[in-house]
Amino acid sequence: MKTLYHHRIASRDGQYVHIESLTNALRARGHEIVMVGPGFVDTGKPGQDSRLVTFLKRHIPRPIYELMELAYSVRDYPRLARAIKKHRPDVIYERYNLYFLSGIWARRRFNIPLISEVNAPLYDERSRYGGIALKKLARAAERASWRGADHVVTVTHVLRDRIEREGVSRDAITVTPNGIDWSRFPASPDRHAAKARLGLTGSTVLGFTGFAREWHGLERVIELLHAHRQDNLTFILVGDGDVRASLERRAAELEVQDRLRITGFVDRDKVAGYVRGFDIALQPAVVDYASPLKLFEYMACEAAIVAPDKPNIREILTDGRDGLLFDPSDPAAFTAATRRFCHDAALRDELGRQARQTLIDRELTWAHNARTVEAIARELREPSHGEPLAAEPRARKWRNSNAG
């Protein structure tokens, strides 16, 4: 099968990891992948944003920037059309973005099935964190993107319900949580050896991976290092982020800077080596609809996980079985859960082993997601009832093994 992957991401962050992981899994199944998107992400450094995009966000008035986002679709459409004419794909698989409408335009013109992957309700997200100037236009663009696809693939049931409320039939939505590639996590970890390689033998290691932002709540980890010095804790942030300077400043103020280690950006292939050295893997906060990539890597490395007790997290973890979930409304709950693990190595080991087993039992892998996407694409391309693809998208029945 020939799949055209269409996107508009401009940074080599978790979005890029998601794209690379899924397309690699599809290629492993024999798919020919045609990529159509900004060339920057193929040459940029991990975690690096496009300098042009960063400049525009900073200096252009928000309404004009949003119109430029919409204009990108106008500019992108001819490139997408040329790729379709040249490669004649069986399906378009698109990573949803706000004001990104060229995919549904191509679907209508060329009558090719369009699968839209939605990882966040960006109208809501940007309204909350960055601000939306053209609210009616943005909301209409989001609805058009979701309703204009033949099928929507999304990462949590929470987000599925949000998409359904915008008029997309539940039968046309499939939930595929993020996952892992077992080739990157081939064996159970030797935690003692991993800690020795990191120079952390004798310390209880708290860990976090990825790009750290203010809403992750990592400052509370610095407070924990200070309040419970007797626990001999070390916090290692495997990555970087906007809050690096503030974390380092707070650690210095509390005189626990020797207990904080920030690696900076780490090559993706080396991340597992760090996570295997975590005694306790932290997800201090999470947005309501996300399926955090780091969570699955923690599970693959048999780390003992502390995470918020929220519906999207409960779709993956069960409190007391494969992680400890804390009440995010209780300021003391995160510390209590973390310290429980600090003083119970047997519990850490048991829940860590079970976390990896949960991945295995539920097939939370990119390979499984690729099989699901392929099955949806084949059903859209070759309907069982023999009808040709409709000129306009319609709901198609798909039995979703992850439905809930």
Side-chain angles (χ1 to χ4, degrees):
M1 180 173 285
K2 188 179 291 187
T3 301
L4 189 152
Y5 196 110
H6 188 221
H7 71 90
R8 200 196 71 188
I9 72 165
S11 61
R12 287 173 64 91
D13 54 10
Q15 300 175 88
Y16 184 85
V17 171
H18 192 290
I19 289 175
E20 187 178 54
S21 298
L22 181 61
T23 54
N24 284 346
L26 288 169
R27 287 189 182 99
R29 293 191 58 78
H31 285 241
E32 179 182 344
I33 305 295
V34 177
M35 300 295 294
V36 178
F40 168 82
V41 293
D42 297 321
T43 57
K45 296 179 180 179
Q48 183 184 39
D49 288 328
S50 163
R51 292 180 181 176
L52 176 60
V53 171
T54 301
F55 175 85
L56 292 174
K57 284 181 177 178
R58 210 172 273 169
H59 298 288
I60 299 295
R62 190 172 292 154
I64 296 176
Y65 180 80
E66 291 177 31
L67 289 174
M68 292 175 69
E69 287 186 273
L70 184 59
Y72 177 90
S73 289
V74 178
R75 180 184 175 188
D76 176 70
Y77 177 77
R79 177 174 55 179
L80 177 58
R82 286 194 299 271
I84 291 171
K85 291 175 183 177
K86 178 179 178 180
H87 297 284
R88 299 184 179 278
D90 297 297
V91 66
I92 300 170
Y93 188 93
E94 180 176 88
R95 185 181 176 94
Y96 159 71
N97 214 320
L98 196 59
Y99 297 116
F100 193 36
L101 302 175
S102 43
I104 61 173
W105 297 342
R107 188 254 176 247
R108 290 169 184 164
R109 176 180 172 187
F110 295 100
N111 211 25
I112 297 173
L114 172 63
I115 301 173
S116 179
E117 176 192 286
V118 180
N119 292 275
L122 292 178
Y123 173 81
D124 291 346
E125 183 177 278
R126 286 175 54 171
S127 295
R128 184 176 301 116
Y129 297 109
I132 290 284
L134 307 175
K135 294 185 180 296
K136 290 184 179 180
L137 182 62
R139 186 70 177 271
E142 182 163 86
R143 285 175 173 168
S145 293
W146 294 354
R147 296 176 182 179
D150 292 280
H151 203 94
V152 174
V153 175
T154 192
V155 290
T156 61
H157 295 97
V158 173
L159 190 46
R160 177 201 62 188
D161 295 345
R162 170 72 178 80
I163 295 166
E164 186 180 12
R165 288 196 296 272
E166 293 299 327
V168 180
S169 168
R170 180 170 290 209
D171 288 340
I173 310 172
T174 297
V175 177
T176 57
N178 289 328
I180 55 96
D181 176 353
W182 279 121
S183 68
R184 296 180 182 273
F185 306 92
S188 298
D190 182 339
R191 201 161 313 284
H192 296 295
K195 288 174 68 173
R197 287 194 297 272
L198 298 175
L200 295 173
T201 299
S203 181
T204 300
V205 180
L206 313 179
F208 178 93
T209 65
F211 194 84
R213 303 184 188 277
E214 185 176 353
W215 60 262
H216 280 122
L218 294 179
E219 191 162 296
R220 74 177 78 176
V221 185
I222 306 300
E223 305 290 337
L224 190 154
L225 298 179
H226 171 69
H228 301 284
R229 290 173 181 266
Q230 72 277 11
D231 290 337
N232 193 24
L233 305 176
T234 296
F235 174 42
I236 181 168
L237 166 55
V238 182
D240 214 315
D242 298 338
V243 298
R244 177 173 185 157
S246 64
L247 291 177
E248 291 174 333
R249 184 167 54 252
R250 186 59 177 154
E253 290 171 354
L254 297 176
E255 299 182 345
V256 293
Q257 62 268 33
D258 59 325
R259 293 293 178 178
L260 170 65
R261 182 185 298 185
I262 301 178
T263 65
F265 289 108
V266 170
D267 186 274
R268 188 177 163 210
D269 290 330
K270 297 179 181 178
V271 170
Y274 285 91
V275 178
R276 288 189 171 103
F278 294 178
D279 291 297
I280 306 168
L282 304 177
Q283 178 78 57
V286 66
V287 293
D288 294 339
Y289 46 79
S291 179
L293 286 165
K294 62 174 62 64
L295 197 67
F296 301 91
E297 295 181 347
Y298 293 166
M299 296 168 76
C301 290
E302 296 188 15
I305 300 168
V306 174
D309 188 2
K310 301 183 77 168
N312 54 327
I313 298 299
R314 290 197 301 271
E315 291 180 24
I316 304 300
L317 297 176
T318 301
D319 184 39
R321 186 176 74 185
D322 43 25
L324 290 182
L325 306 186
F326 65 91
D327 181 355
S329 67
D330 180 356
F334 168 76
T335 297
T338 304
R339 295 201 72 217
R340 180 182 174 191
F341 267 149
C342 288
H343 297 287
D344 195 336
L347 182 66
R348 293 200 304 264
D349 291 342
E350 174 59 27
L351 270 58
R353 282 193 297 269
Q354 185 54 49
R356 184 177 171 100
Q357 190 61 45
T358 295
L359 288 179
I360 296 169
D361 293 345
R362 294 185 54 192
E363 289 191 276
L364 294 170
T365 65
W366 294 112
H368 182 269
N369 288 356
R371 290 197 299 272
T372 301
V373 168
E374 180 181 297
I376 295 169
R378 292 193 182 282
E379 169 63 15
L380 292 173
R381 192 68 190 177
E382 303 165 2
S384 57
H385 42 67
E387 295 180 9
L389 185 70
E392 293 297 326
R394 60 170 176 258
R396 293 182 182 276
K397 182 68 176 177
W398 170 251
R399 294 192 178 276
N400 174 16
S401 60
N402 291 310

